[in-house]
């Protein structure tokens, strides 16, 4: 027998009547409940299509901070829901599947990170937004891939800095800024898997193609890039650059918005090195389906909760990021 909680959580779709127009019903419920649906670029295209707002991690946090909605449905991974809850403690924050974790956030458990920070006194602690609320609580300022360079540069050149958890983004920022930040040894399982050889072999077939790379990728992949940037920055570049073809080394969900914005251009997903698949998907982001979104709005469940004590400490570094970003016009 199907457990009621599973139906409520959206892990099964038995509760959805056959013939239901999911997209129409989702939009109807969102309006009736004054709920805003936000989606990250890595979610399924059909999820992005019903969202009120699609964005990168920075834009999603900024949007959460200013929304007037009573409910935020965060179609993305768990830490994104937590960030929203920390910024809007009075609102109901829903994530359609709480199993949507993040390997990068998991690579930095808060207790171990705290020990690392304690072992290096006198350092400013900068953490990527892909962290749990508890890790953010041990942080001085949060960054995303959209603003990491500028926020690091807002500190004096000789400021001792700990940067976590992404070692690839951290070493990329070190190389851009000539700093020597102390790096936590974490990574994203999706972005680590891109293959230099496979990207070069696609480039040999399409010599005029531009290579777009997310800074969570390994240094060897970043070196191939015509453009390195957050999902939003890569999208912007694809729209404004005159090239006809792009090889895209980030999670393949971004291709949906790229193709929508530029129907006449060709976007080729960069393949991972250890499989026969043509593209590289985040299995966590892909847990967010239209039927789970439907159930989530219907039952207003599952809801994100953050320990108020942790939230009190985590809100400071997030707000600091939003303040610096606003000053930088980001
Ligand atoms: P951005 O959306 O900030 O580029 O982050 C990518 C990512 O991995 C989100 O999980
Ligand atoms: Fe986390 Fe990587 Fe998935 Fe982004 S793509 S949510 S960093 S596991």
């Amino acid at each position: 027998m199907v457990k009621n909680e599973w139906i409520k959580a959206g892990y099964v779709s038995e509760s959805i009547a056959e013939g239901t127009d999911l997209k129409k019903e989702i939009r109807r419920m969102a309006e009736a409940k004054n709920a805003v649906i936000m989606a990250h670029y890595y979610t399924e295209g059909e999820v992005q299509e019903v969202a009120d707002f699609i964005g990168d991690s920075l834009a999603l946090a900024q949007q959460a901070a200013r929304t007037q909605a009573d409910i935020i449905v965060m179609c993305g991974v768990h830490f994104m829901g937590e960030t929203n809850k920390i910024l809007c403690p009075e609102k109901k924050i829903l994530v359609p599947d709480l199993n949507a974790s993040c390997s990068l956030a998991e690579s930095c458990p808060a207790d171990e990170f705290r020990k690392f920070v304690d072992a290096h006194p006198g350092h400013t602690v900068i953490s990527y937004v892909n962290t749990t609320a508890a890790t953010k609580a041990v942080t001085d300022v949060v960054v995303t891939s959209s603003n990491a360079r500028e926020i690091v540069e807002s500190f004096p050149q000789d400021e001792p800095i700990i940067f976590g958890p992404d070692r690839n983004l951290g070493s990329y920022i070190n190389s851009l800024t000539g700093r020597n930040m102390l790096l936590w040894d974490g990574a994203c399982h999706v972005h680590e898997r891109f293959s230099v050889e496979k990207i070069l072999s696609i480039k040999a077939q399409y010599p005029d193609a531009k290579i777009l790379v997310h800074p969570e990728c390994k240094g060897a992949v970043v070196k191939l890039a015509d453009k390195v940037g957050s999902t939003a920055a890569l999208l912007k570049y694809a729209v404004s650059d005159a090239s006809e073809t792009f090889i895209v080394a980030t999670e393949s969900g971004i291709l949906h918005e790229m193709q929508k914005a530029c129907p006449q251009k060709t976007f080729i997903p960069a393949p991972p090195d250890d499989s026969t698949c043509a593209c590289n998907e985040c299995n966590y982001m892909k847990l967010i389906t239209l039927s789970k979104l439907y159930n989530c709005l219907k039952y207003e469940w599952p809801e994100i909760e953050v320990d108020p004590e942790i939230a009190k400490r985590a809100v400071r570094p997030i707000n600091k990021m939003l303040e610096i970003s606003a000053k930088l016009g980001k």
Side-chain angles (χ1 to χ4, degrees), residues 40 42 77 79-80 101-105 128 130 187-191 216 251 282-285:
H40 190 270
Y42 293 165
V77 292
F79 77 79
M80 295 177 173
S101 178
C102 166
S103 57
L104 183 50
Y128 196 31
N130 297 42
C188 154
H189 73 300
V190 179
H191 288 92
E216 287 173 25
E251 210 273 356
C282 173
N283 48 326
Y284 298 118
M285 287 282 187

mmCIF file with all atom_site columns, all heavy atoms in Angstrom, residues 40 42 77 79-80 101-105 128 130 187-191 216 251 282-285, ligand 2:
data_model
loop_
_atom_site.group_PDB
_atom_site.id
_atom_site.type_symbol
_atom_site.label_atom_id
_atom_site.label_alt_id
_atom_site.label_comp_id
_atom_site.label_asym_id
_atom_site.label_entity_id
_atom_site.label_seq_id
_atom_site.pdbx_PDB_ins_code
_atom_site.Cartn_x
_atom_site.Cartn_y
_atom_site.Cartn_z
_atom_site.occupancy
_atom_site.B_iso_or_equiv
_atom_site.pdbx_formal_charge
_atom_site.auth_seq_id
_atom_site.auth_comp_id
_atom_site.auth_asym_id
_atom_site.auth_atom_id
_atom_site.pdbx_PDB_model_num
ATOM   1   N  N   . HIS A 1 40  ? 15.616 26.803 -10.628 1.00 0.00 ? 40  HIS A N   1
ATOM   2   C  CA  . HIS A 1 40  ? 17.000 26.958 -11.078 1.00 0.00 ? 40  HIS A CA  1
ATOM   3   C  C   . HIS A 1 40  ? 17.097 26.450 -12.515 1.00 0.00 ? 40  HIS A C   1
ATOM   4   O  O   . HIS A 1 40  ? 16.336 25.586 -12.948 1.00 0.00 ? 40  HIS A O   1
ATOM   5   C  CB  . HIS A 1 40  ? 17.962 26.178 -10.161 1.00 0.00 ? 40  HIS A CB  1
ATOM   6   C  CG  . HIS A 1 40  ? 19.404 26.496 -10.435 1.00 0.00 ? 40  HIS A CG  1
ATOM   7   N  ND1 . HIS A 1 40  ? 20.153 25.781 -11.348 1.00 0.00 ? 40  HIS A ND1 1
ATOM   8   C  CD2 . HIS A 1 40  ? 20.218 27.466 -9.955  1.00 0.00 ? 40  HIS A CD2 1
ATOM   9   C  CE1 . HIS A 1 40  ? 21.380 26.306 -11.409 1.00 0.00 ? 40  HIS A CE1 1
ATOM   10  N  NE2 . HIS A 1 40  ? 21.442 27.337 -10.568 1.00 0.00 ? 40  HIS A NE2 1
ATOM   11  N  N   . TYR A 1 42  ? 18.948 24.437 -13.823 1.00 0.00 ? 42  TYR A N   1
ATOM   12  C  CA  . TYR A 1 42  ? 19.292 23.021 -13.995 1.00 0.00 ? 42  TYR A CA  1
ATOM   13  C  C   . TYR A 1 42  ? 18.090 22.082 -13.895 1.00 0.00 ? 42  TYR A C   1
ATOM   14  O  O   . TYR A 1 42  ? 18.232 20.887 -14.104 1.00 0.00 ? 42  TYR A O   1
ATOM   15  C  CB  . TYR A 1 42  ? 20.310 22.582 -12.925 1.00 0.00 ? 42  TYR A CB  1
ATOM   16  C  CG  . TYR A 1 42  ? 21.676 23.207 -13.018 1.00 0.00 ? 42  TYR A CG  1
ATOM   17  C  CD1 . TYR A 1 42  ? 22.560 23.123 -11.945 1.00 0.00 ? 42  TYR A CD1 1
ATOM   18  C  CD2 . TYR A 1 42  ? 22.115 23.857 -14.160 1.00 0.00 ? 42  TYR A CD2 1
ATOM   19  C  CE1 . TYR A 1 42  ? 23.825 23.689 -12.004 1.00 0.00 ? 42  TYR A CE1 1
ATOM   20  C  CE2 . TYR A 1 42  ? 23.371 24.432 -14.218 1.00 0.00 ? 42  TYR A CE2 1
ATOM   21  C  CZ  . TYR A 1 42  ? 24.225 24.346 -13.138 1.00 0.00 ? 42  TYR A CZ  1
ATOM   22  O  OH  . TYR A 1 42  ? 25.477 24.892 -13.187 1.00 0.00 ? 42  TYR A OH  1
ATOM   23  N  N   . VAL A 1 77  ? 17.578 22.654 -5.366  1.00 0.00 ? 77  VAL A N   1
ATOM   24  C  CA  . VAL A 1 77  ? 18.067 21.714 -4.349  1.00 0.00 ? 77  VAL A CA  1
ATOM   25  C  C   . VAL A 1 77  ? 17.873 22.282 -2.937  1.00 0.00 ? 77  VAL A C   1
ATOM   26  O  O   . VAL A 1 77  ? 17.541 23.458 -2.760  1.00 0.00 ? 77  VAL A O   1
ATOM   27  C  CB  . VAL A 1 77  ? 19.533 21.305 -4.631  1.00 0.00 ? 77  VAL A CB  1
ATOM   28  C  CG1 . VAL A 1 77  ? 19.599 20.461 -5.899  1.00 0.00 ? 77  VAL A CG1 1
ATOM   29  C  CG2 . VAL A 1 77  ? 20.451 22.492 -4.730  1.00 0.00 ? 77  VAL A CG2 1
ATOM   30  N  N   . PHE A 1 79  ? 19.678 23.226 -0.361  1.00 0.00 ? 79  PHE A N   1
ATOM   31  C  CA  . PHE A 1 79  ? 20.305 24.424 0.220   1.00 0.00 ? 79  PHE A CA  1
ATOM   32  C  C   . PHE A 1 79  ? 19.650 25.701 -0.301  1.00 0.00 ? 79  PHE A C   1
ATOM   33  O  O   . PHE A 1 79  ? 19.646 26.732 0.380   1.00 0.00 ? 79  PHE A O   1
ATOM   34  C  CB  . PHE A 1 79  ? 21.836 24.435 -0.022  1.00 0.00 ? 79  PHE A CB  1
ATOM   35  C  CG  . PHE A 1 79  ? 22.273 24.813 -1.410  1.00 0.00 ? 79  PHE A CG  1
ATOM   36  C  CD1 . PHE A 1 79  ? 22.310 26.145 -1.810  1.00 0.00 ? 79  PHE A CD1 1
ATOM   37  C  CD2 . PHE A 1 79  ? 22.659 23.853 -2.320  1.00 0.00 ? 79  PHE A CD2 1
ATOM   38  C  CE1 . PHE A 1 79  ? 22.713 26.512 -3.093  1.00 0.00 ? 79  PHE A CE1 1
ATOM   39  C  CE2 . PHE A 1 79  ? 23.068 24.198 -3.604  1.00 0.00 ? 79  PHE A CE2 1
ATOM   40  C  CZ  . PHE A 1 79  ? 23.088 25.528 -3.991  1.00 0.00 ? 79  PHE A CZ  1
ATOM   41  N  N   . MET A 1 80  ? 19.078 25.641 -1.506  1.00 0.00 ? 80  MET A N   1
ATOM   42  C  CA  . MET A 1 80  ? 18.398 26.829 -2.050  1.00 0.00 ? 80  MET A CA  1
ATOM   43  C  C   . MET A 1 80  ? 17.132 27.122 -1.245  1.00 0.00 ? 80  MET A C   1
ATOM   44  O  O   . MET A 1 80  ? 16.811 28.277 -0.955  1.00 0.00 ? 80  MET A O   1
ATOM   45  C  CB  . MET A 1 80  ? 18.053 26.604 -3.521  1.00 0.00 ? 80  MET A CB  1
ATOM   46  C  CG  . MET A 1 80  ? 19.282 26.463 -4.395  1.00 0.00 ? 80  MET A CG  1
ATOM   47  S  SD  . MET A 1 80  ? 18.876 26.103 -6.103  1.00 0.00 ? 80  MET A SD  1
ATOM   48  C  CE  . MET A 1 80  ? 20.518 26.235 -6.814  1.00 0.00 ? 80  MET A CE  1
ATOM   49  N  N   . SER A 1 101 ? 19.424 16.887 -2.800  1.00 0.00 ? 101 SER A N   1
ATOM   50  C  CA  . SER A 1 101 ? 20.572 17.376 -2.050  1.00 0.00 ? 101 SER A CA  1
ATOM   51  C  C   . SER A 1 101 ? 21.576 18.015 -3.021  1.00 0.00 ? 101 SER A C   1
ATOM   52  O  O   . SER A 1 101 ? 21.222 18.351 -4.153  1.00 0.00 ? 101 SER A O   1
ATOM   53  C  CB  . SER A 1 101 ? 21.176 16.167 -1.320  1.00 0.00 ? 101 SER A CB  1
ATOM   54  O  OG  . SER A 1 101 ? 22.305 16.547 -0.619  1.00 0.00 ? 101 SER A OG  1
ATOM   55  N  N   . CYS A 1 102 ? 22.827 18.153 -2.604  1.00 0.00 ? 102 CYS A N   1
ATOM   56  C  CA  . CYS A 1 102 ? 23.864 18.726 -3.475  1.00 0.00 ? 102 CYS A CA  1
ATOM   57  C  C   . CYS A 1 102 ? 25.198 18.126 -3.022  1.00 0.00 ? 102 CYS A C   1
ATOM   58  O  O   . CYS A 1 102 ? 25.555 18.240 -1.844  1.00 0.00 ? 102 CYS A O   1
ATOM   59  C  CB  . CYS A 1 102 ? 23.866 20.235 -3.329  1.00 0.00 ? 102 CYS A CB  1
ATOM   60  S  SG  . CYS A 1 102 ? 25.334 21.034 -4.014  1.00 0.00 ? 102 CYS A SG  1
ATOM   61  N  N   . SER A 1 103 ? 25.908 17.489 -3.941  1.00 0.00 ? 103 SER A N   1
ATOM   62  C  CA  . SER A 1 103 ? 27.157 16.808 -3.542  1.00 0.00 ? 103 SER A CA  1
ATOM   63  C  C   . SER A 1 103 ? 28.189 17.808 -3.035  1.00 0.00 ? 103 SER A C   1
ATOM   64  O  O   . SER A 1 103 ? 29.011 17.489 -2.177  1.00 0.00 ? 103 SER A O   1
ATOM   65  C  CB  . SER A 1 103 ? 27.725 16.000 -4.707  1.00 0.00 ? 103 SER A CB  1
ATOM   66  O  OG  . SER A 1 103 ? 27.943 16.831 -5.820  1.00 0.00 ? 103 SER A OG  1
ATOM   67  N  N   . LEU A 1 104 ? 28.136 19.033 -3.555  1.00 0.00 ? 104 LEU A N   1
ATOM   68  C  CA  . LEU A 1 104 ? 29.088 20.056 -3.122  1.00 0.00 ? 104 LEU A CA  1
ATOM   69  C  C   . LEU A 1 104 ? 28.790 20.472 -1.668  1.00 0.00 ? 104 LEU A C   1
ATOM   70  O  O   . LEU A 1 104 ? 29.700 20.536 -0.838  1.00 0.00 ? 104 LEU A O   1
ATOM   71  C  CB  . LEU A 1 104 ? 29.004 21.253 -4.077  1.00 0.00 ? 104 LEU A CB  1
ATOM   72  C  CG  . LEU A 1 104 ? 29.961 22.410 -3.864  1.00 0.00 ? 104 LEU A CG  1
ATOM   73  C  CD1 . LEU A 1 104 ? 31.398 21.942 -3.728  1.00 0.00 ? 104 LEU A CD1 1
ATOM   74  C  CD2 . LEU A 1 104 ? 29.835 23.397 -5.020  1.00 0.00 ? 104 LEU A CD2 1
ATOM   75  N  N   . ALA A 1 105 ? 27.518 20.721 -1.380  1.00 0.00 ? 105 ALA A N   1
ATOM   76  C  CA  . ALA A 1 105 ? 27.143 21.068 -0.002  1.00 0.00 ? 105 ALA A CA  1
ATOM   77  C  C   . ALA A 1 105 ? 27.492 19.915 0.944   1.00 0.00 ? 105 ALA A C   1
ATOM   78  O  O   . ALA A 1 105 ? 27.992 20.133 2.050   1.00 0.00 ? 105 ALA A O   1
ATOM   79  C  CB  . ALA A 1 105 ? 25.653 21.391 0.066   1.00 0.00 ? 105 ALA A CB  1
ATOM   80  N  N   . TYR A 1 128 ? 30.827 29.444 -0.462  1.00 0.00 ? 128 TYR A N   1
ATOM   81  C  CA  . TYR A 1 128 ? 29.962 29.382 -1.633  1.00 0.00 ? 128 TYR A CA  1
ATOM   82  C  C   . TYR A 1 128 ? 28.533 29.119 -1.139  1.00 0.00 ? 128 TYR A C   1
ATOM   83  O  O   . TYR A 1 128 ? 28.341 28.451 -0.113  1.00 0.00 ? 128 TYR A O   1
ATOM   84  C  CB  . TYR A 1 128 ? 30.465 28.222 -2.489  1.00 0.00 ? 128 TYR A CB  1
ATOM   85  C  CG  . TYR A 1 128 ? 29.989 28.172 -3.910  1.00 0.00 ? 128 TYR A CG  1
ATOM   86  C  CD1 . TYR A 1 128 ? 29.693 29.309 -4.645  1.00 0.00 ? 128 TYR A CD1 1
ATOM   87  C  CD2 . TYR A 1 128 ? 29.864 26.938 -4.553  1.00 0.00 ? 128 TYR A CD2 1
ATOM   88  C  CE1 . TYR A 1 128 ? 29.285 29.230 -5.961  1.00 0.00 ? 128 TYR A CE1 1
ATOM   89  C  CE2 . TYR A 1 128 ? 29.470 26.842 -5.871  1.00 0.00 ? 128 TYR A CE2 1
ATOM   90  C  CZ  . TYR A 1 128 ? 29.172 27.994 -6.569  1.00 0.00 ? 128 TYR A CZ  1
ATOM   91  O  OH  . TYR A 1 128 ? 28.767 27.897 -7.866  1.00 0.00 ? 128 TYR A OH  1
ATOM   92  N  N   . ASN A 1 130 ? 26.467 27.114 -2.177  1.00 0.00 ? 130 ASN A N   1
ATOM   93  C  CA  . ASN A 1 130 ? 26.177 25.669 -2.174  1.00 0.00 ? 130 ASN A CA  1
ATOM   94  C  C   . ASN A 1 130 ? 26.710 25.036 -0.880  1.00 0.00 ? 130 ASN A C   1
ATOM   95  O  O   . ASN A 1 130 ? 27.652 24.244 -0.880  1.00 0.00 ? 130 ASN A O   1
ATOM   96  C  CB  . ASN A 1 130 ? 26.839 24.969 -3.372  1.00 0.00 ? 130 ASN A CB  1
ATOM   97  C  CG  . ASN A 1 130 ? 26.310 25.444 -4.704  1.00 0.00 ? 130 ASN A CG  1
ATOM   98  O  OD1 . ASN A 1 130 ? 26.106 26.626 -4.906  1.00 0.00 ? 130 ASN A OD1 1
ATOM   99  N  ND2 . ASN A 1 130 ? 26.090 24.518 -5.615  1.00 0.00 ? 130 ASN A ND2 1
ATOM   100 N  N   . ALA A 1 187 ? 33.954 19.430 -3.893  1.00 0.00 ? 187 ALA A N   1
ATOM   101 C  CA  . ALA A 1 187 ? 33.672 19.564 -5.327  1.00 0.00 ? 187 ALA A CA  1
ATOM   102 C  C   . ALA A 1 187 ? 32.256 19.081 -5.641  1.00 0.00 ? 187 ALA A C   1
ATOM   103 O  O   . ALA A 1 187 ? 31.630 18.396 -4.832  1.00 0.00 ? 187 ALA A O   1
ATOM   104 C  CB  . ALA A 1 187 ? 34.680 18.760 -6.130  1.00 0.00 ? 187 ALA A CB  1
ATOM   105 N  N   . CYS A 1 188 ? 31.797 19.463 -6.823  1.00 0.00 ? 188 CYS A N   1
ATOM   106 C  CA  . CYS A 1 188 ? 30.490 19.026 -7.324  1.00 0.00 ? 188 CYS A CA  1
ATOM   107 C  C   . CYS A 1 188 ? 30.698 17.836 -8.249  1.00 0.00 ? 188 CYS A C   1
ATOM   108 O  O   . CYS A 1 188 ? 31.505 17.917 -9.189  1.00 0.00 ? 188 CYS A O   1
ATOM   109 C  CB  . CYS A 1 188 ? 29.829 20.179 -8.085  1.00 0.00 ? 188 CYS A CB  1
ATOM   110 S  SG  . CYS A 1 188 ? 28.645 19.638 -9.326  1.00 0.00 ? 188 CYS A SG  1
ATOM   111 N  N   . HIS A 1 189 ? 29.955 16.746 -8.002  1.00 0.00 ? 189 HIS A N   1
ATOM   112 C  CA  . HIS A 1 189 ? 30.170 15.527 -8.796  1.00 0.00 ? 189 HIS A CA  1
ATOM   113 C  C   . HIS A 1 189 ? 29.810 15.719 -10.269 1.00 0.00 ? 189 HIS A C   1
ATOM   114 O  O   . HIS A 1 189 ? 30.296 14.997 -11.123 1.00 0.00 ? 189 HIS A O   1
ATOM   115 C  CB  . HIS A 1 189 ? 29.402 14.350 -8.185  1.00 0.00 ? 189 HIS A CB  1
ATOM   116 C  CG  . HIS A 1 189 ? 27.905 14.420 -8.404  1.00 0.00 ? 189 HIS A CG  1
ATOM   117 N  ND1 . HIS A 1 189 ? 27.125 15.462 -7.940  1.00 0.00 ? 189 HIS A ND1 1
ATOM   118 C  CD2 . HIS A 1 189 ? 27.068 13.587 -9.051  1.00 0.00 ? 189 HIS A CD2 1
ATOM   119 C  CE1 . HIS A 1 189 ? 25.859 15.241 -8.281  1.00 0.00 ? 189 HIS A CE1 1
ATOM   120 N  NE2 . HIS A 1 189 ? 25.804 14.121 -8.971  1.00 0.00 ? 189 HIS A NE2 1
ATOM   121 N  N   . VAL A 1 190 ? 28.952 16.673 -10.570 1.00 0.00 ? 190 VAL A N   1
ATOM   122 C  CA  . VAL A 1 190 ? 28.555 16.910 -11.968 1.00 0.00 ? 190 VAL A CA  1
ATOM   123 C  C   . VAL A 1 190 ? 29.664 17.676 -12.699 1.00 0.00 ? 190 VAL A C   1
ATOM   124 O  O   . VAL A 1 190 ? 30.144 17.246 -13.756 1.00 0.00 ? 190 VAL A O   1
ATOM   125 C  CB  . VAL A 1 190 ? 27.232 17.720 -12.028 1.00 0.00 ? 190 VAL A CB  1
ATOM   126 C  CG1 . VAL A 1 190 ? 26.827 18.003 -13.463 1.00 0.00 ? 190 VAL A CG1 1
ATOM   127 C  CG2 . VAL A 1 190 ? 26.129 17.004 -11.281 1.00 0.00 ? 190 VAL A CG2 1
ATOM   128 N  N   . HIS A 1 191 ? 30.094 18.774 -12.114 1.00 0.00 ? 191 HIS A N   1
ATOM   129 C  CA  . HIS A 1 191 ? 31.072 19.632 -12.806 1.00 0.00 ? 191 HIS A CA  1
ATOM   130 C  C   . HIS A 1 191 ? 32.472 19.039 -12.851 1.00 0.00 ? 191 HIS A C   1
ATOM   131 O  O   . HIS A 1 191 ? 33.275 19.394 -13.714 1.00 0.00 ? 191 HIS A O   1
ATOM   132 C  CB  . HIS A 1 191 ? 31.073 21.031 -12.160 1.00 0.00 ? 191 HIS A CB  1
ATOM   133 C  CG  . HIS A 1 191 ? 29.838 21.806 -12.496 1.00 0.00 ? 191 HIS A CG  1
ATOM   134 N  ND1 . HIS A 1 191 ? 28.717 21.777 -11.705 1.00 0.00 ? 191 HIS A ND1 1
ATOM   135 C  CD2 . HIS A 1 191 ? 29.539 22.592 -13.557 1.00 0.00 ? 191 HIS A CD2 1
ATOM   136 C  CE1 . HIS A 1 191 ? 27.774 22.526 -12.266 1.00 0.00 ? 191 HIS A CE1 1
ATOM   137 N  NE2 . HIS A 1 191 ? 28.249 23.033 -13.387 1.00 0.00 ? 191 HIS A NE2 1
ATOM   138 N  N   . GLU A 1 216 ? 32.859 25.731 -11.500 1.00 0.00 ? 216 GLU A N   1
ATOM   139 C  CA  . GLU A 1 216 ? 32.955 24.540 -10.642 1.00 0.00 ? 216 GLU A CA  1
ATOM   140 C  C   . GLU A 1 216 ? 33.694 23.409 -11.362 1.00 0.00 ? 216 GLU A C   1
ATOM   141 O  O   . GLU A 1 216 ? 33.968 22.361 -10.774 1.00 0.00 ? 216 GLU A O   1
ATOM   142 C  CB  . GLU A 1 216 ? 31.564 24.053 -10.221 1.00 0.00 ? 216 GLU A CB  1
ATOM   143 C  CG  . GLU A 1 216 ? 30.886 24.941 -9.196  1.00 0.00 ? 216 GLU A CG  1
ATOM   144 C  CD  . GLU A 1 216 ? 29.441 24.516 -8.933  1.00 0.00 ? 216 GLU A CD  1
ATOM   145 O  OE1 . GLU A 1 216 ? 29.089 23.345 -9.141  1.00 0.00 ? 216 GLU A OE1 1
ATOM   146 O  OE2 . GLU A 1 216 ? 28.648 25.386 -8.530  1.00 0.00 ? 216 GLU A OE2 1
ATOM   147 N  N   . GLU A 1 251 ? 25.773 21.891 -16.107 1.00 0.00 ? 251 GLU A N   1
ATOM   148 C  CA  . GLU A 1 251 ? 24.645 20.961 -16.093 1.00 0.00 ? 251 GLU A CA  1
ATOM   149 C  C   . GLU A 1 251 ? 23.741 21.253 -17.302 1.00 0.00 ? 251 GLU A C   1
ATOM   150 O  O   . GLU A 1 251 ? 23.458 22.413 -17.615 1.00 0.00 ? 251 GLU A O   1
ATOM   151 C  CB  . GLU A 1 251 ? 23.881 21.134 -14.775 1.00 0.00 ? 251 GLU A CB  1
ATOM   152 C  CG  . GLU A 1 251 ? 23.201 19.888 -14.297 1.00 0.00 ? 251 GLU A CG  1
ATOM   153 C  CD  . GLU A 1 251 ? 21.822 19.659 -14.837 1.00 0.00 ? 251 GLU A CD  1
ATOM   154 O  OE1 . GLU A 1 251 ? 21.308 20.544 -15.582 1.00 0.00 ? 251 GLU A OE1 1
ATOM   155 O  OE2 . GLU A 1 251 ? 21.231 18.624 -14.535 1.00 0.00 ? 251 GLU A OE2 1
ATOM   156 N  N   . CYS A 1 282 ? 22.567 16.758 -13.257 1.00 0.00 ? 282 CYS A N   1
ATOM   157 C  CA  . CYS A 1 282 ? 22.592 16.695 -11.792 1.00 0.00 ? 282 CYS A CA  1
ATOM   158 C  C   . CYS A 1 282 ? 21.388 15.854 -11.359 1.00 0.00 ? 282 CYS A C   1
ATOM   159 O  O   . CYS A 1 282 ? 20.243 16.275 -11.523 1.00 0.00 ? 282 CYS A O   1
ATOM   160 C  CB  . CYS A 1 282 ? 22.501 18.099 -11.196 1.00 0.00 ? 282 CYS A CB  1
ATOM   161 S  SG  . CYS A 1 282 ? 22.333 18.057 -9.401  1.00 0.00 ? 282 CYS A SG  1
ATOM   162 N  N   . ASN A 1 283 ? 21.670 14.665 -10.847 1.00 0.00 ? 283 ASN A N   1
ATOM   163 C  CA  . ASN A 1 283 ? 20.572 13.769 -10.458 1.00 0.00 ? 283 ASN A CA  1
ATOM   164 C  C   . ASN A 1 283 ? 19.705 14.374 -9.351  1.00 0.00 ? 283 ASN A C   1
ATOM   165 O  O   . ASN A 1 283 ? 18.538 14.036 -9.208  1.00 0.00 ? 283 ASN A O   1
ATOM   166 C  CB  . ASN A 1 283 ? 21.112 12.396 -10.039 1.00 0.00 ? 283 ASN A CB  1
ATOM   167 C  CG  . ASN A 1 283 ? 22.264 12.488 -9.069  1.00 0.00 ? 283 ASN A CG  1
ATOM   168 O  OD1 . ASN A 1 283 ? 23.075 13.412 -9.151  1.00 0.00 ? 283 ASN A OD1 1
ATOM   169 N  ND2 . ASN A 1 283 ? 22.353 11.571 -8.133  1.00 0.00 ? 283 ASN A ND2 1
ATOM   170 N  N   . TYR A 1 284 ? 20.263 15.308 -8.577  1.00 0.00 ? 284 TYR A N   1
ATOM   171 C  CA  . TYR A 1 284 ? 19.465 15.943 -7.518  1.00 0.00 ? 284 TYR A CA  1
ATOM   172 C  C   . TYR A 1 284 ? 18.467 16.935 -8.123  1.00 0.00 ? 284 TYR A C   1
ATOM   173 O  O   . TYR A 1 284 ? 17.287 16.941 -7.777  1.00 0.00 ? 284 TYR A O   1
ATOM   174 C  CB  . TYR A 1 284 ? 20.372 16.668 -6.527  1.00 0.00 ? 284 TYR A CB  1
ATOM   175 C  CG  . TYR A 1 284 ? 21.323 15.733 -5.807  1.00 0.00 ? 284 TYR A CG  1
ATOM   176 C  CD1 . TYR A 1 284 ? 22.702 15.862 -5.948  1.00 0.00 ? 284 TYR A CD1 1
ATOM   177 C  CD2 . TYR A 1 284 ? 20.837 14.722 -4.995  1.00 0.00 ? 284 TYR A CD2 1
ATOM   178 C  CE1 . TYR A 1 284 ? 23.571 15.014 -5.290  1.00 0.00 ? 284 TYR A CE1 1
ATOM   179 C  CE2 . TYR A 1 284 ? 21.699 13.865 -4.335  1.00 0.00 ? 284 TYR A CE2 1
ATOM   180 C  CZ  . TYR A 1 284 ? 23.064 14.016 -4.478  1.00 0.00 ? 284 TYR A CZ  1
ATOM   181 O  OH  . TYR A 1 284 ? 23.922 13.173 -3.832  1.00 0.00 ? 284 TYR A OH  1
ATOM   182 N  N   . MET A 1 285 ? 18.939 17.778 -9.013  1.00 0.00 ? 285 MET A N   1
ATOM   183 C  CA  . MET A 1 285 ? 18.034 18.755 -9.649  1.00 0.00 ? 285 MET A CA  1
ATOM   184 C  C   . MET A 1 285 ? 16.925 18.026 -10.419 1.00 0.00 ? 285 MET A C   1
ATOM   185 O  O   . MET A 1 285 ? 15.780 18.490 -10.463 1.00 0.00 ? 285 MET A O   1
ATOM   186 C  CB  . MET A 1 285 ? 18.823 19.636 -10.626 1.00 0.00 ? 285 MET A CB  1
ATOM   187 C  CG  . MET A 1 285 ? 19.727 20.639 -9.952  1.00 0.00 ? 285 MET A CG  1
ATOM   188 S  SD  . MET A 1 285 ? 18.778 22.048 -9.336  1.00 0.00 ? 285 MET A SD  1
ATOM   189 C  CE  . MET A 1 285 ? 20.107 23.121 -8.798  1.00 0.00 ? 285 MET A CE  1
HETATM 190 FE FE1 . LIG B 2 .   ? 25.116 20.667 -6.343  1.00 0.00 ? 2   LIG B FE1 1
HETATM 191 FE FE2 . LIG B 2 .   ? 26.550 20.128 -8.481  1.00 0.00 ? 2   LIG B FE2 1
HETATM 192 FE FE3 . LIG B 2 .   ? 23.954 19.613 -8.501  1.00 0.00 ? 2   LIG B FE3 1
HETATM 193 FE FE4 . LIG B 2 .   ? 24.827 22.168 -8.523  1.00 0.00 ? 2   LIG B FE4 1
HETATM 194 S  S1  . LIG B 2 .   ? 25.104 20.642 -10.122 1.00 0.00 ? 2   LIG B S1  1
HETATM 195 S  S2  . LIG B 2 .   ? 23.195 21.298 -7.276  1.00 0.00 ? 2   LIG B S2  1
HETATM 196 S  S3  . LIG B 2 .   ? 26.664 21.980 -7.271  1.00 0.00 ? 2   LIG B S3  1
HETATM 197 S  S4  . LIG B 2 .   ? 25.481 18.633 -7.188  1.00 0.00 ? 2   LIG B S4  1
#
